[in-house]
Amino acid sequence: MSHPHPELPLPPPLAEGGLRLVALGGLGEIGRNMTVFEYDGRLLIVDCGVLFPEPDQPGVDLILPDFRYLEGRFDLIDAVVLTHAHEDHIGALPYLLRERADIPLIGSRLTLALVRSKLTEHRLIPVVNEVAEGTRQQVGPFDLEFLSVNHSIPDALAVAIRTPAGLILHTGDFKMDQLPMDRRLTDIGGFARLGADGVDLLMSDSTNAEMPGFVVSEREIAPVLDQVFAGAEKRVIVACFASHVHRVQQVLDAAEKHGRKVAFVGRSMVRNMGVARDLGYLRVPGGMLVDMREAEEMRPQDVVLISTGSQGEPMSALSRMAGRDHPIRIAEGDTVILASSLIPGNETAVYRVINGLTRLGARVVHKGSSLVHVSGHAHAGELLFVLNVTKPGNFMPIHGEWRHLRAHARLAALSGVPEHNIVIADDGVVVDLVDGQAKISGSVPCGYVYVDGLSVGEVTDEQLKDRRILGEEGFVSVVIVLDSTSGKMVAQPEIHARGSGIDEAAFREVRPRIEEALARAAAEGITDAYQIQQLVRRAVGRWVSDHYRRRPMIIPVVVEV
Amino acid sequence: MSHPHPELPLPPPLAEGGLRLVALGGLGEIGRNMTVFEYDGRLLIVDCGVLFPEPDQPGVDLILPDFRYLEGRFDLIDAVVLTHAHEDHIGALPYLLRERADIPLIGSRLTLALVRSKLTEHRLIPVVNEVAEGTRQQVGPFDLEFLSVNHSIPDALAVAIRTPAGLILHTGDFKMDQLPMDRRLTDIGGFARLGADGVDLLMSDSTNAEMPGFVVSEREIAPVLDQVFAGAEKRVIVACFASHVHRVQQVLDAAEKHGRKVAFVGRSMVRNMGVARDLGYLRVPGGMLVDMREAEEMRPQDVVLISTGSQGEPMSALSRMAGRDHPIRIAEGDTVILASSLIPGNETAVYRVINGLTRLGARVVHKGSSLVHVSGHAHAGELLFVLNVTKPGNFMPIHGEWRHLRAHARLAALSGVPEHNIVIADDGVVVDLVDGQAKISGSVPCGYVYVDGLSVGEVTDEQLKDRRILGEEGFVSVVIVLDSTSGKMVAQPEIHARGSGIDEAAFREVRPRIEEALARAAAEGITDAYQIQQLVRRAVGRWVSDHYRRRPMIIPVVVEV
């Protein structure tokens, strides 16, 4: 297996007749999926998603793929293929379309409908090209074939990319539910046909490569929901992802069976389910839907609320219900179902919501205790099916952290892909497919691009490091006013501390140390403001460390008057 | 079921012949377990543990139970019963013993040995009273009987507390492994005997009350370890809790079978396993142990390292190996086993370690993918056994967040405990057992006590709120130097920003706003420094919000010279 390292040089020019691919996101992480394919000077992009920040990226709203590799070449992009409409596959489109508004977007009917409705909020009207499974389409030098896959959102597609350099199969996100709600199967027959033709490179979803066996069918949730509904005395509230049409369908089916009306709660839930219903992906029995205001007025035992907020997002309706800051007042006898995954990093927030709801008297059912969620990503057993029918010449695991990519690479090796034809790459690592062999040829600059408030790419890793120190240790600021001619202090040092856990009154003790440091500086003839700041910083820092064993950020400010 | 609310008043004096109990930690949270029992003016404490901070308590090292309820009454404490030696049951002892050093500590042989070795590091020599299961002992007015329970540490005890007010059974942490490594069973027969005598109040471990069924036996891990060892080409590194003697025993057994030497890594691992071995709780084949330095020199395939760091603690050996900052250099072919639970809140840190190790070439086996960990806490099936054999007059779920306490209360109700005899209480809520009825009678002040560096109880919730704001948004400080007589600025405002994501150069634009604000203040005759600060804060805050949609902490400093 090839391993990238950060010291990889820029790649040499692409060999004649070869295909180059670079992931600008999605490798070594779960999120911001985006891969650029280059053939004969033209570019094709698959997906353009966002990554949600980790706790050590505080204050960051979103993380984008790094578009630097595309700089000056946006005009060469023939299209962006969108495999499905999850945020980690489409969320960065508004930022890409800022660079060039008319890049054609290719996707299935539901994918494009959800993308359009999302882009409308950014006042963007995209150029779209709707495709369906089983169809084939030439885009620049890229001959694209689309195959159906099932996932936790309807209408997802895999894409086969043919160029003279070879055939690449990119699965997108998928699983292989054999009894999917919409009977739309992952096209294993199509994969096998491509395998018979010869798949030169398989790029396949690694999210659950560590998980043995097979994902349980979405249908298995129905009896569990039925049982929970049957035992629910008062209100039922179901939280799930706002794009999980089949999960919502199952809740609607349970509501119908138990004679309850349904209200959608949360902007993205209302928006997406409207789109899904209009296009026929969601079947809503007549007269079943009510709006929130009506739901509030109804008897609790007659209502189901289907809500966002399953990840404990602090401003979501569910979090606000848990904190008694919402018109819906949770009470003894209410039932809350978290019919969703628990994304790593969100545990504390989710358990806080569960505890809050429980304290108010609700029974909370979640995937930790009941089968109210199944994953949208193939487990190892399913991944082996794909490896075995496609018999790829080369294999590259995608969509995953290193642990997932390595686990998927191990499966590929077990299934018979030779080790030297397995490529594990990071974001920014350049892979060339030349003469049927995929190889790492170098790397291009590729980092995190942070969206924070209105700014894109202005928050740096240095700034995040400052935030982490400030968040853990707080700061102490020391203002020294010096007479610009004599260099003497003309007022007492002003010392302020926030978040340091040190009482400001205690800083009285540090003043003599500062005066000492300044006297020493004066004696040594030091007059440079920066040097004086450093002396003050050291004097205060040492005092805090000795007395409190802490390391707040020390900010000395020297003003000369 | 009785529900506490924060508005509960201080309780009335305890009724004649009644028993009062108050948890100072461990209710509504997993950790800092500590319950105070009061009878006839004397006090008995069960456990005295710490809680580890959540991500929204940044910079905090530990959280202690709130001892305020004991203020002025430390002399009335007859003993502290320690059910077992986990940190969440013993970790706050050094802080309690600061208040009165000679409080007798009662516990089993291993528990007291581990406690003594811990307290030595705090230069404390405790007064101890060793007990064993099946024994009974009078301590003040409390007649104590000890029963064996199994858990993820050997030699754990449940305690029955008899007073004229009735019999209370406190389970401590437990599960009911029917084939435990040391053949020491949870004494269900003893529980049944107490049940026959009449248990007036059962206080039982709720940690896994949401989990259906039964915990798999610790022994089931052995074949998995065997298989992983058999497939390991190079070094094997096992990370687990430093007190999990049976887990370590299983690793030693696997190492023996596969002809590998073992080194312990991490201070607490070395310390605890030394104690466990000396007392005969850990069987180490002769010549098997080597020290770290020797292990580094040996061929990788001849070595097992047993290490701390299973929770992704950044300074642990395992984290440092993942970051290439440790003498042990992880390489292709190494195997790392995380034979431990994943405590909620630690996911991001643990996955970072797994990814780091994987990237260096290690195969990482963890409980998400293999049976290399079983819980130490009884699942619902086991909890029902205890409820059914003890047939308690009253039930109080302990050790758990609200979701766990409620789930356990539901089990109690299903098993036949009348709803009005089930008490769910929070920390600080006072429960009186009078005439065979347990009832909430009020509450006492009880909050988080933060240990941060050398300080105990000095970091306030206000300070933590500041840290959260600083960590999310950073800060902007603005220093204004005014002439004390004219009130005019005598230098340009000094503006510094850290972690705000705003370039300091951009602040040039805000200077006119500050001057404007000061001019307005002067025109209105405002000379008070505090008021001027507020004006500056508002002017800068509004500018930042308008231009960046952010809310950093704004720190105005006005110095008069």
Side-chain angles (χ1 to χ4, degrees):
Chain A
M1 296 174 211
S2 318
H3 287 288
H5 33 106
E7 305 81 29
L8 280 175
L10 282 173
L14 177 58
E16 179 78 24
L19 179 139
R20 173 162 288 180
L21 68 92
V22 187
L24 306 185
L27 297 183
E29 64 204 355
I30 302 247
R32 64 168 190 155
N33 295 288
M34 179 169 186
T35 310
V36 181
F37 296 85
E38 180 175 350
Y39 183 81
D40 198 18
R42 302 296 302 178
L43 304 176
L44 176 79
I45 292 172
V46 175
D47 291 329
C48 185
V50 290
L51 173 68
F52 295 98
E54 302 266 359
D56 65 342
Q57 293 159 328
V60 172
D61 299 320
L62 291 173
I63 303 170
L64 305 182
D66 189 336
F67 298 152
R68 269 179 293 172
Y69 178 65
L70 297 170
E71 231 164 71
R73 304 199 293 161
F74 291 102
D75 283 339
L76 304 177
I77 302 169
D78 283 313
V80 178
V81 173
L82 302 168
T83 58
H84 61 283
H86 278 154
E87 283 300 309
D88 55 335
H89 293 255
I90 65 163
L93 282 174
Y95 303 91
L96 181 66
L97 297 180
R98 278 190 198 175
E99 304 292 338
R100 184 186 139 203
D102 65 349
I103 302 174
L105 308 182
I106 299 179
S108 68
R109 188 153 170 248
L110 180 65
T111 300
L112 290 181
L114 292 172
V115 164
R116 261 193 309 255
S117 109
K118 180 193 169 67
L119 291 178
T120 303
E121 294 182 359
H122 290 261
R123 296 179 203 177
L124 289 165
I125 299 170
V127 175
V128 299
N129 174 354
E130 190 180 306
V131 295
E133 55 265 31
T135 67
R136 210 159 151 170
Q137 185 154 138
Q138 188 75 28
V139 176
F142 306 97
D143 171 5
L144 307 179
E145 178 179 350
F146 302 96
L147 299 102
S148 68
V149 291
N150 59 47
H151 183 42
S152 43
I153 187 169
D155 228 12
L157 293 172
V159 58
I161 305 167
R162 288 181 177 87
T163 65
L167 190 162
I168 296 174
L169 174 60
H170 185 298
T171 64
D173 284 353
F174 79 103
K175 60 177 171 177
M176 298 213 286
D177 192 340
Q178 293 304 298
L179 294 167
M181 302 286 297
D182 58 3
R183 302 188 170 280
R184 187 173 174 276
L185 294 162
T186 293
D187 186 4
I188 192 83
F191 287 3
R193 175 175 47 75
L194 296 177
D197 289 358
V199 170
D200 295 289
L201 173 63
L202 172 65
M203 302 172 74
S204 180
D205 176 11
S206 309
T207 311
N208 272 336
E210 286 189 305
M211 296 293 131
F214 295 77
V215 181
V216 165
S217 175
E218 174 74 24
R219 272 175 206 269
E220 300 282 329
I221 295 174
V224 180
L225 286 179
D226 185 39
Q227 202 187 350
V228 175
F229 271 68
E233 300 160 33
K234 299 280 179 68
R235 210 179 265 119
V236 175
I237 299 163
V238 184
C240 69
F241 284 112
S243 58
H244 204 320
V245 177
H246 292 157
R247 191 66 45 81
V248 169
Q249 184 69 63
Q250 300 220 74
V251 178
L252 293 178
D253 294 348
E256 186 179 26
K257 181 168 170 195
H258 293 273
R260 288 175 183 251
K261 303 276 186 190
V262 171
F264 291 123
V265 183
R267 197 166 52 100
S268 54
M269 183 67 79
V270 172
R271 184 188 71 191
N272 289 351
M273 291 309 134
V275 171
R277 186 192 185 183
D278 290 347
L279 298 182
Y281 291 90
L282 186 74
R283 187 190 63 83
V284 184
M288 175 179 256
L289 284 190
V290 295
D291 68 21
M292 259 289 287
R293 194 118 5 125
E294 292 172 280
E296 285 168 33
E297 303 293 315
M298 292 170 66
R299 293 192 315 165
Q301 56 268 42
D302 295 336
V303 179
V304 179
L305 304 174
I306 302 180
S307 163
T308 54
S310 66
Q311 297 305 308
E313 301 90 331
M315 298 312 295
S316 68
L318 198 69
S319 280
R320 289 189 287 121
M321 287 178 208
R324 281 208 163 288
D325 176 29
H326 193 271
I328 299 287
R329 306 297 280 184
I330 297 292
E332 194 71 38
D334 285 350
T335 303
V336 179
I337 305 174
L338 295 181
S340 56
S341 65
L342 207 181
I343 295 174
N346 296 344
E347 289 81 2
T348 309
V350 170
Y351 291 136
R352 178 165 305 136
V353 169
I354 294 177
N355 285 321
L357 294 166
T358 306
R359 187 182 279 265
L360 296 172
R363 177 178 174 215
V364 183
V365 179
H366 57 90
K367 75 165 198 136
S369 55
S370 296
L371 183 65
V372 290
H373 173 70
V374 300
S375 176
H377 299 273
H379 281 199
E382 292 152 85
L383 297 176
L384 283 168
F385 267 81
V386 173
L387 284 159
N388 285 330
V389 298
T390 57
K391 297 182 288 291
N394 297 276
F395 175 68
M396 184 169 156
I398 56 171
H399 303 169
E401 301 169 10
W402 264 78
R403 59 198 177 106
H404 308 116
L405 301 179
R406 282 286 298 229
H408 204 174
R410 194 172 304 116
L411 293 173
L414 286 171
S415 80
V417 182
E419 297 262 339
H420 65 275
N421 292 326
I422 299 175
V423 179
I424 305 184
D426 262 319
D427 292 340
V429 168
V430 178
V431 177
D432 289 346
L433 178 65
V434 179
D435 297 332
Q437 172 74 41
K439 255 206 282 247
I440 290 174
S441 63
S443 73
V444 296
C446 190
Y448 282 146
V449 177
Y450 300 112
V451 177
D452 185 348
L454 292 178
S455 85
V456 178
E458 288 174 27
V459 172
T460 60
D461 286 315
E462 193 62 32
Q463 296 258 2
L464 290 186
K465 197 178 151 199
D466 280 352
R467 287 186 187 173
R468 283 194 294 268
I469 295 171
L470 288 167
E472 292 266 311
E473 303 278 354
F475 75 90
V476 178
S477 78
V478 185
V479 178
I480 311 276
V481 184
L482 299 180
D483 184 281
S484 57
T485 45
S486 73
K488 291 239 162 74
M489 278 205 286
V490 297
Q492 278 285 311
E494 282 271 346
I495 304 178
H496 293 269
R498 295 296 283 271
S500 68
I502 306 171
D503 189 28
E504 285 192 1
F507 285 105
R508 243 172 300 146
E509 290 178 42
V510 84
R511 289 196 171 145
R513 304 256 195 138
I514 295 172
E515 280 159 26
E516 222 173 88
L518 291 175
R520 228 176 14 247
E524 292 172 23
I526 297 171
T527 55
D528 175 61
Y530 177 75
Q531 279 183 288
I532 292 171
Q533 280 178 12
Q534 293 308 99
L535 289 171
V536 171
R537 185 199 308 272
R538 266 200 297 278
V540 176
R542 198 171 307 133
W543 178 82
V544 171
S545 167
D546 289 350
H547 284 67
Y548 298 91
R549 276 209 208 141
R550 291 197 202 137
R551 310 208 154 279
M553 192 181 277
I554 314 275
I555 316 280
V557 180
V558 174
V559 188
E560 297 188 349
V561 295
Chain B
M1 295 179 215
S2 320
H3 288 288
H5 31 106
E7 306 81 30
L8 280 174
L10 282 172
L14 175 59
E16 179 79 25
L19 179 140
R20 171 163 289 180
L21 69 93
V22 187
L24 305 185
L27 298 183
E29 65 205 353
I30 303 249
R32 63 167 190 157
N33 295 288
M34 180 168 182
T35 310
V36 181
F37 296 86
E38 180 174 350
Y39 182 82
D40 199 17
R42 301 296 301 180
L43 304 177
L44 178 78
I45 293 171
V46 174
D47 290 331
C48 185
V50 291
L51 173 67
F52 295 98
E54 302 266 359
D56 65 342
Q57 293 159 328
V60 171
D61 299 318
L62 291 172
I63 303 170
L64 305 182
D66 189 335
F67 298 152
R68 270 180 292 174
Y69 177 65
L70 297 170
E71 232 164 70
R73 302 198 297 159
F74 291 101
D75 284 338
L76 302 178
I77 301 169
D78 283 314
V80 178
V81 173
L82 302 168
T83 58
H84 61 285
H86 278 154
E87 283 299 309
D88 56 335
H89 292 257
I90 66 162
L93 282 174
Y95 304 91
L96 180 65
L97 296 181
R98 278 190 197 176
E99 303 292 339
R100 186 187 138 203
D102 64 348
I103 302 174
L105 308 183
I106 298 179
S108 68
R109 193 158 164 244
L110 180 66
T111 301
L112 291 182
L114 292 172
V115 164
R116 260 193 310 253
S117 109
K118 181 194 169 68
L119 291 178
T120 303
E121 295 181 358
H122 290 261
R123 296 181 201 175
L124 289 166
I125 300 170
V127 176
V128 299
N129 174 354
E130 190 181 306
V131 296
E133 55 265 32
T135 66
R136 208 160 153 171
Q137 185 156 134
Q138 188 75 29
V139 175
F142 306 97
D143 171 4
L144 306 180
E145 179 178 349
F146 302 95
L147 300 101
S148 67
V149 291
N150 58 49
H151 184 42
S152 44
I153 186 170
D155 229 11
L157 293 172
V159 57
I161 304 167
R162 289 181 175 89
T163 64
L167 189 162
I168 297 173
L169 175 59
H170 186 297
T171 63
D173 284 355
F174 80 104
K175 61 176 170 176
M176 298 212 288
D177 192 340
Q178 294 304 297
L179 293 168
M181 302 285 297
D182 58 2
R183 303 187 170 280
R184 186 172 173 277
L185 295 162
T186 293
D187 186 5
I188 192 84
F191 287 4
R193 174 175 47 77
L194 296 176
D197 288 358
V199 170
D200 295 288
L201 174 62
L202 172 65
M203 302 172 74
S204 181
D205 176 12
S206 309
T207 311
N208 272 336
E210 287 189 305
M211 297 294 130
F214 294 77
V215 181
V216 166
S217 175
E218 174 74 24
R219 274 175 204 269
E220 302 282 329
I221 295 174
V224 181
L225 287 181
D226 186 39
Q227 204 187 348
V228 175
F229 271 68
E233 300 160 34
K234 297 282 179 66
R235 210 178 264 119
V236 174
I237 298 163
V238 184
C240 69
F241 283 112
S243 59
H244 204 319
V245 177
H246 293 156
R247 191 65 46 79
V248 170
Q249 184 69 62
Q250 301 219 73
V251 178
L252 292 178
D253 294 348
E256 186 179 25
K257 184 169 169 193
H258 293 273
R260 289 176 182 250
K261 304 276 184 189
V262 171
F264 291 123
V265 183
R267 198 165 53 98
S268 56
M269 183 66 80
V270 172
R271 184 187 73 191
N272 289 350
M273 291 308 136
V275 171
R277 185 191 186 187
D278 291 346
L279 297 182
Y281 291 90
L282 186 73
R283 188 191 63 83
V284 185
M288 173 177 257
L289 283 191
V290 294
D291 67 22
M292 259 290 287
R293 193 115 9 120
E294 292 172 278
E296 285 168 33
E297 303 295 316
M298 291 170 67
R299 295 191 312 165
Q301 56 268 44
D302 294 336
V303 179
V304 179
L305 303 174
I306 303 180
S307 163
T308 53
S310 66
Q311 298 305 307
E313 301 89 331
M315 299 310 295
S316 68
L318 199 68
S319 280
R320 288 188 288 122
M321 287 179 210
R324 281 208 163 284
D325 176 28
H326 194 271
I328 299 286
R329 308 296 281 184
I330 298 290
E332 195 71 36
D334 286 349
T335 304
V336 179
I337 305 173
L338 295 180
S340 56
S341 65
L342 209 180
I343 296 175
N346 296 344
E347 288 80 3
T348 310
V350 170
Y351 292 135
R352 177 165 305 136
V353 169
I354 294 177
N355 286 319
L357 294 166
T358 307
R359 187 181 279 263
L360 296 173
R363 178 178 174 216
V364 183
V365 179
H366 56 89
K367 74 166 200 137
S369 55
S370 296
L371 183 65
V372 290
H373 173 72
V374 300
S375 175
H377 299 272
H379 281 198
E382 292 152 84
L383 297 175
L384 283 168
F385 267 81
V386 173
L387 285 158
N388 285 331
V389 298
T390 57
K391 299 183 288 288
N394 298 276
F395 175 69
M396 183 169 158
I398 57 171
H399 304 169
E401 301 170 8
W402 265 78
R403 59 198 177 105
H404 308 116
L405 302 178
R406 281 287 295 231
H408 205 173
R410 193 172 304 114
L411 293 174
L414 287 171
S415 80
V417 182
E419 298 261 341
H420 66 275
N421 292 326
I422 298 174
V423 180
I424 304 185
D426 262 319
D427 293 338
V429 167
V430 178
V431 177
D432 290 344
L433 177 64
V434 178
D435 298 332
Q437 173 74 42
K439 256 205 282 244
I440 289 173
S441 63
S443 73
V444 295
C446 190
Y448 282 147
V449 178
Y450 300 112
V451 178
D452 185 347
L454 292 179
S455 83
V456 177
E458 287 174 26
V459 172
T460 60
D461 286 317
E462 192 61 32
Q463 296 258 2
L464 290 185
K465 197 179 153 200
D466 280 352
R467 288 186 187 173
R468 283 193 295 269
I469 295 171
L470 288 168
E472 292 267 310
E473 303 278 355
F475 74 90
V476 178
S477 79
V478 185
V479 177
I480 310 278
V481 184
L482 299 180
D483 184 282
S484 58
T485 46
S486 73
K488 291 236 161 76
M489 275 205 287
V490 296
Q492 278 285 312
E494 281 271 345
I495 304 178
H496 293 268
R498 295 296 283 273
S500 69
I502 306 170
D503 189 26
E504 286 191 0
F507 285 106
R508 245 173 298 148
E509 289 180 41
V510 84
R511 286 195 173 144
R513 305 259 194 134
I514 295 172
E515 280 160 25
E516 220 175 88
L518 291 174
R520 227 176 16 246
E524 290 172 24
I526 294 172
T527 55
D528 176 62
Y530 177 77
Q531 279 182 287
I532 293 172
Q533 281 177 12
Q534 292 309 100
L535 290 171
V536 171
R537 184 198 310 271
R538 265 200 298 277
V540 176
R542 200 172 303 130
W543 179 81
V544 171
S545 166
D546 289 350
H547 283 69
Y548 298 91
R549 272 206 213 142
R550 291 195 203 139
R551 309 209 154 276
M553 192 180 278
I554 313 273
I555 317 280
V557 180
V558 174
V559 187
E560 297 188 351
V561 296

